[in-house]
Amino acid sequence: MTNRCTYIPQIMLPRPAIDLSRWAVVACDQYTSQPEYWAETDRLVGDAPSTLRLTLPEVYLEDADVSARTAQIHQTMRRYLADGTLRTLPAGIVLTERWSGGACPRRGMVLAMDLEAYDYAPGSASLIRPTEKTVVERIPPRLQVRQGASIELPHIMILIDDPDRRIIEPLFAQTDRFEQVYDTDLIQNGGHITGWFVPQGAETDAIEAGLEALCDRDVFDRKYGCTEAQALLPYAVGDGNHSMATAKAYWEQAKQGLSPAEQADHPARYALVEVVNIHDESILIEPIHRILFGVEPDAVLRELTAFYAAQGCTAYVAERAPADPAAHSYPLLSQTRRGVFVVEQPKWAIPVATIQTGLDAYLAAHPAVKIDYIHGEDVTAALAAKPGNLGFVLPDIAKNDLFRGVVFDGVLPRKTFSMGEAHEKRYYMEAKAIVK
């Protein structure tokens, strides 16, 4: 397989007269427990052309009228293409800069990724891989929306590990050379977004060459301290993995009966994504802490200690974290205990994989025990102080540890990290054909 995973697409954008502040809405997998958010978005959009009419917010996925909603989406797609609401640009990419309330913007580039280079199956060695486990049961209802669709709109975010910032960042010093194709505020506290079109040519050739260089075996091995036993990982799906998995499932269906030549340039083979450098200052990789409910803390700690001993590790509770940087340690909190749970000689590459593996084993043996995943140490401490609860505070995650964890451990445990709040997630703006 070639290491070229990218494709320079023909991106679609709304025609210039469209109100972009009502065109762009947040990713459909956000606010899934808040129908009032989507009702307010519907009110704000009104009858204006909008990506709200081209996507199905997942809050409605189990409603009785989902089939009618899906049919309406497909009809609206066809109408927007026929009446010129959407225009097709020449082949190229879009540089995008998003301000969402922080001290700096998120800078990325919208292009297409080859789904033949992506595999979400456990143990996959594909060049594009998810960071977290794909729940295959989530694919079929999303696939029903994609079947019959003529276009796709991306909320997938692909991460690259480019600490020297050679690929994406230099382009933003040259934006005065490129056509500005959008510049708008985003509804519902989404901030502001600007985009510039970079036509296929010398700049996109350089981008693709830079991305392909991420696959250099020697450079990769030095970066992560690995050998050829570990598969290359130039691209990690940071957000929208189930959307990517749905695109993959659709392509696997669509390519049946196509010749190799027909498959090579079929639009469904390529998924539109935003590529972002994990070292972008706006990307905050925040740990997610763990709370067990309905437990006797000392009994949990005894079982965890025994579990890690059986794995060839040494585990114990201490007053403070050890000096050994190779050990994985977690402050623990309960109504009656304080301390640090330590695992020495861990067989997992990053701390979150170590603790979650042990907790999964404990939960499997104690199905009545509940677990929750908590943002913020203060909330974790407040919950852990209640009778029958036990909290584990996870350490901060170094940005290159995210890639290193996937390289060595495979897909990371669920709820490994948080990458921004709901209103900071990608808003739909660009589109791309998926049928000929």
Side-chain angles (χ1 to χ4, degrees):
M1 178 189 291
T2 176
N3 288 339
R4 177 65 61 90
C5 301
T6 54
Y7 182 82
I8 304 302
Q10 286 188 277
I11 292 172
M12 298 175 180
L13 285 171
R15 56 184 166 82
I18 299 296
D19 179 358
L20 296 181
S21 69
R22 294 198 285 175
W23 170 261
V25 302
V26 79
C28 66
D29 60 350
Q30 300 302 308
Y31 301 103
T32 54
S33 299
Q34 297 170 258
E36 65 277 7
Y37 173 93
W38 292 104
E40 176 63 6
T41 301
D42 185 80
R43 186 191 70 79
L44 292 169
V45 165
D47 59 2
S50 177
T51 55
L52 183 63
R53 311 306 177 201
L54 303 176
T55 54
L56 179 63
E58 294 186 1
V59 68
Y60 304 128
L61 265 184
E62 297 181 4
D63 286 5
D65 65 346
V66 68
S67 294
R69 284 180 180 270
T70 300
Q72 185 62 47
I73 288 168
H74 296 160
Q75 180 181 338
T76 305
M77 287 177 174
R78 294 190 292 270
R79 176 162 58 85
Y80 282 3
L81 292 172
D83 67 11
T85 296
L86 279 167
R87 60 191 174 112
T88 302
L89 304 179
I93 70 168
V94 171
L95 300 180
T96 183
E97 181 178 78
R98 167 81 178 280
W99 291 87
S100 54
C104 54
R106 184 180 76 228
R107 289 172 167 170
M109 54 188 182
V110 179
L111 46 69
M113 285 282 177
D114 188 352
L115 291 166
E116 288 288 328
Y118 164 74
D119 184 2
Y120 57 81
S124 164
S126 59
L127 295 175
I128 309 169
R129 300 204 291 279
T131 51
E132 296 186 351
K133 182 181 178 182
T134 302
V135 182
V136 295
E137 292 80 10
R138 293 181 61 183
I139 296 174
R142 291 153 183 79
L143 186 58
Q144 290 177 11
V145 179
R146 197 172 184 90
Q147 291 166 332
S150 48
I151 61 174
E152 65 174 4
L153 298 101
H155 68 259
I156 301 163
M157 189 178 296
I158 299 288
L159 299 173
I160 61 172
D161 186 2
D162 179 24
D164 297 327
R165 306 178 190 217
R166 295 176 176 174
I167 300 171
I168 297 174
E169 289 79 359
L171 293 163
F172 283 87
Q174 310 173 48
T175 52
D176 57 345
R177 298 177 49 228
F178 307 128
E179 176 192 0
Q180 187 180 93
V181 287
Y182 53 77
D183 185 44
T184 185
D185 288 336
L186 298 170
I187 61 173
Q188 292 277 60
N189 196 33
H192 190 93
I193 193 167
T194 308
W196 298 267
F197 178 66
V198 182
Q200 187 170 30
E203 285 89 359
T204 61
D205 288 347
I207 290 166
E208 290 196 290
L211 292 171
E212 197 164 352
L214 295 172
C215 297
D216 182 278
R217 185 78 242 187
D218 290 338
V219 173
F220 186 87
D221 290 349
R222 287 196 300 272
K223 183 188 291 185
Y224 301 112
C226 57
T227 69
E228 291 193 6
Q230 285 79 40
L232 293 167
L233 179 65
Y235 307 108
V237 185
D239 258 347
N241 183 60
H242 288 91
S243 179
M244 188 86 164
T246 301
K248 173 73 169 182
Y250 177 79
W251 168 237
E252 290 298 319
Q253 293 180 353
K255 74 180 184 181
Q256 299 303 314
L258 297 179
S259 68
E262 290 170 326
Q263 291 183 23
D265 65 353
H266 196 285
R269 174 172 172 163
Y270 303 96
L272 205 59
V273 305
E274 180 181 344
V275 178
V276 179
N277 185 5
I278 196 171
H279 297 280
D280 188 288
E281 290 90 343
S282 72
I283 302 295
L284 302 178
I285 306 297
E286 299 175 347
I288 302 176
H289 311 300
R290 273 64 173 158
I291 291 278
L292 297 178
F293 299 90
V295 297
E296 198 287 299
D298 286 342
V300 174
L301 296 170
R302 283 194 299 272
E303 288 197 37
L304 287 177
T305 299
F307 169 82
Y308 290 111
Q311 300 295 317
C313 313
T314 301
Y316 56 91
V317 177
E319 292 186 3
R320 59 183 63 86
D324 180 6
H328 293 168
S329 57
Y330 317 86
L332 62 90
L333 308 165
S334 76
Q335 187 182 50
T336 58
R337 292 208 63 162
R338 290 289 187 275
V340 177
F341 187 70
V342 179
V343 181
E344 294 183 346
Q345 301 95 40
K347 58 186 292 186
W348 300 271
I350 59 175
V352 65
T354 299
I355 193 65
Q356 189 62 47
T357 304
L359 292 176
D360 283 345
Y362 179 83
L363 292 166
H366 301 274
V369 173
K370 304 299 182 185
I371 189 170
D372 202 0
Y373 302 89
I374 307 297
H375 299 263
E377 289 188 38
D378 53 344
V379 179
T380 303
L383 289 170
K386 297 180 179 180
N389 295 353
L390 175 63
F392 293 90
V393 176
L394 270 71
D396 289 340
I397 301 170
K399 288 188 172 183
N400 58 357
D401 272 357
L402 188 147
F403 274 77
R404 189 170 181 272
V406 177
V407 167
F408 282 92
D409 296 336
V411 291
L412 301 176
R414 63 192 180 279
K415 302 296 183 181
T416 292
F417 64 94
S418 172
M419 205 168 68
E421 298 181 18
H423 72 278
E424 298 173 296
K425 301 297 184 179
R426 195 165 208 285
Y427 274 55
Y428 299 113
M429 180 67 77
E430 303 85 357
K432 181 183 73 67
I434 58 172
V435 297
K436 285 195 170 182

